[in-house]
Amino acid sequence: MTTTPTPPLRYVYAVCRPFDGVLPEGSAGITGEPPRLLRHGDLVAVVDAVPAEEFDEGPLRARLEDLDWLAATARCHDAVLAALTAVTSPLPLRLATVCRDDSGVRRLLDEGHDRFVRALERLDGRVEWGVKVYAEPAAPAARPTPREAPAGAVGGRDYLRRRLRERNGREEGRRRAEDVSRALHGRLSAYAEAAALHPPQDPRLAGDTGGVNVLNAAYLVARERAEGFVALVGRASEEEGVRVELTGPWAAYSFAGIAEEDAA
């Protein structure tokens, strides 16, 4: 008995307006092949044909529990959005947005048409920049050698004093970094068209020497104003005891729901 193979599903990366030209050469999606542009009316869906064995509802639910698979899929998803951002201003869709076939993609575009159009109008000509501010870890105080230690010193008392100085130094450094981040966020928010605050990054992701993350924010910036935005961030990087990290430009992931926000 021959089993009929299940037709591939449609993975949808983003929605955008029709645009001239093609994606940069070498752009590849989840399957390793360039994604396809499916035009429907005044909108375009960026799609990939993916195997049902991985992306149908049941298998997908299990795959989303596999962190290695999830990370690899997210990297491919991001790569497609990065390629799109080079030629247009896409509206990113949620990771693992899957339709049954091309007709399902068209229904997706029909059902979300007005929301998609509003968001694309708001995002047109704009990109996202990410900014993180860290309180740099203070250098540990040098422990005195036996020759440097005063005669009769009590080891336990000296240790507690040293730890107290280190803790006070960390707290002072964090307060200074928070002051810098508040001032910076105010300047960047005034310069950008929209801003979004995210939870601070888990210290374990930054490593032992990564410092404490006190600001994790995203900003929606017009492409022609990017140079001025980068300069503002650069000036904050000169503050002592503070590390500022700038990433981008990205597709506007943090502002995908901006149409609903504007309507509200």
Side-chain angles (χ1 to χ4, degrees):
M1 180 177 177
T2 303
T3 303
T4 303
T6 305
L9 306 178
R10 303 295 186 268
Y11 185 105
V12 190
Y13 296 95
V15 175
C16 58
R17 295 171 179 240
F19 59 90
D20 295 330
V22 295
L23 294 180
E25 186 176 352
S27 300
I30 291 169
T31 61
E33 298 294 326
R36 180 166 58 95
L37 304 180
L38 192 161
R39 181 164 181 170
H40 182 60
D42 57 348
L43 295 174
V44 171
V46 184
V47 304
D48 215 342
V50 294
E53 294 76 13
E54 288 188 43
F55 288 90
D56 215 345
E57 185 176 358
L60 180 59
R61 189 180 300 112
R63 290 280 188 175
L64 292 175
E65 300 295 326
D66 182 342
L67 295 183
D68 290 337
W69 182 91
L70 189 61
T73 302
R75 283 195 296 270
C76 293
H77 186 101
D78 290 347
V80 171
L81 267 296
L84 276 170
T85 304
V87 294
T88 187
S89 297
L91 174 65
L93 296 190
R94 184 182 303 174
L95 185 72
T97 296
V98 180
C99 296
R100 181 62 56 187
D101 49 25
D102 284 359
S103 295
V105 177
R106 294 186 183 97
R107 283 195 298 274
L108 174 72
L109 296 179
D110 284 336
E111 292 169 2
H113 179 272
D114 293 347
R115 174 171 58 88
F116 291 151
V117 168
R118 284 197 305 270
L120 288 169
E121 287 175 351
R122 186 72 174 83
L123 298 178
D124 188 35
R126 297 157 179 86
V127 290
E128 176 175 326
W129 291 87
V131 177
K132 293 178 182 176
V133 176
Y134 297 87
E136 288 280 48
R143 191 167 186 173
T145 64
R147 288 185 180 180
E148 295 170 336
V154 180
R157 187 178 299 167
D158 290 344
Y159 171 78
L160 291 175
R161 287 172 178 165
R162 180 167 56 85
R163 291 300 300 271
L164 180 60
R165 287 195 299 270
E166 290 175 357
R167 187 189 69 182
N168 290 342
R170 287 195 300 270
E171 291 177 351
E172 181 183 348
R174 178 163 182 158
R175 285 194 295 270
R176 183 168 60 248
E178 288 173 344
D179 290 343
V180 170
S181 68
R182 277 193 294 270
L184 177 62
H185 180 61
R187 291 194 296 272
L188 297 181
S189 297
Y191 191 89
E193 297 192 14
L197 287 171
H198 300 307
Q201 182 178 2
D202 188 326
R204 291 172 295 181
L205 300 178
D208 293 337
T209 60
V212 178
N213 183 209
V214 296
L215 176 68
N216 183 11
Y219 302 90
L220 186 67
V221 181
R223 292 179 188 268
E224 65 270 16
R225 304 196 74 198
E227 186 175 347
F229 183 86
V230 172
L232 281 174
V233 177
R235 285 196 285 275
S237 302
E238 300 169 1
E239 296 282 348
E240 184 179 353
V242 174
R243 178 164 61 89
V244 182
E245 181 182 289
L246 173 69
T247 58
W250 309 110
Y253 289 97
S254 300
F255 306 96
I258 202 165
E260 286 83 354
E261 295 170 9
D262 288 351

